[in-house]
Amino acid sequence: MRSFTLLAAAFLLGAACEQAPVSHPPASQNLSPVEQMKAEGDAFLAKGDYGNAVEKYRQAIDLDGSAIGPRFALGTAYSFMEKRPEAIVQFRWVLSRADAGSSEYQEAQRWLIRVGALAAPAAVAVADQKGEARPVDPSTVGRLVGKTEWPGVTPQRRMLSGTMSLIGDEPVTQDVKRNRAFRLGDGYEFKDVPAGRYRVVAVIDGTTVWDEKVTVETGKDTSLTLSQSTSPVPAGKFALPADKPSAPATSERSR
């Protein structure tokens, strides 16, 4: 039986006690380098050596970033180390890539629901039907806040509005895309953002004013100021129109 059985069993039971040591899987010509790294990680995990297990799983991921097994195993190791935010990131990645019928998907989903990082499917359906907000675990998300700056432009002097998008920029955030209106020269905010890398794209009247990268961390406020100095658009694009000169006064005709 493949080593995943051991991981899944320990995962489901949530066992805090030490696992009985197992023998180190022998190297085999039938194993790919990725499978070999994962097998070595499984052996460390079974012995409770979570640090080395994490290292092996990371090496496997470096070899093949799309492999489901090492990602699930890495999340499992993090869960045993009580590194909940890190485990959540890995298990969410599994949900975004694994087949819904696979054991990895189902176990990752159960764990996320158990720790409150994911609403149960039935609860999600009911919330969607009622238009209710889903509960969010603050330990799994962060907040992106900032302001936009443009020479001579504020909402009080000139109202320029557009659309700002927060777009996932890595596999674990690829399904995240949020849009909001913003006013040039004013602040902005994105709440309850899953941790990870994103692009912030701001568009006014069809012109992309900013396309910046940012990394949001869990439980923190990440600040990003969008200024004209980081924009590909010249400052004069949104300059206030020059005041029209007053018409010269006509002199009164002599009587």
Side-chain angles (χ1 to χ4, degrees), residues 71-109:
R71 291 279 187 175
F72 176 82
L74 181 59
T76 302
Y78 279 141
S79 71
F80 283 126
M81 297 170 75
E82 297 185 358
K83 291 188 174 183
R84 179 179 291 188
E86 291 86 348
I88 288 171
V89 168
Q90 300 305 322
F91 289 138
R92 279 182 169 165
W93 187 97
V94 170
L95 292 190
S96 71
R97 292 299 186 88
D99 185 276
S102 68
S103 52
E104 289 93 340
Y105 182 100
Q106 294 173 6
E107 302 306 334
Q109 184 183 58

Side-chain angles (χ1 to χ4, degrees), residues 19-82:
Q19 300 292 326
V22 297
S23 60
H24 192 289
S28 170
Q29 293 181 349
N30 294 327
L31 293 180
S32 69
V34 174
E35 293 170 334
Q36 182 63 37
M37 288 295 102
K38 182 182 178 298
E40 292 177 11
D42 292 347
F44 281 123
L45 186 72
K47 293 185 292 185
D49 189 347
Y50 305 129
N52 278 323
V54 165
E55 181 61 28
K56 290 297 182 181
Y57 295 144
R58 284 193 172 278
Q59 290 177 20
I61 291 169
D62 288 341
L63 292 172
D64 184 358
S66 64
I68 302 297
R71 291 279 187 175
F72 176 82
L74 181 59
T76 302
Y78 279 141
S79 71
F80 283 126
M81 297 170 75
E82 297 185 358

Side-chain angles (χ1 to χ4, degrees), residues 189-209:
E189 176 186 40
F190 288 96
K191 296 181 179 179
D192 300 328
V193 179
R197 296 196 300 270
Y198 294 89
R199 288 169 52 220
V200 178
V201 181
V203 178
I204 297 177
D205 293 333
T207 299
T208 299
V209 185

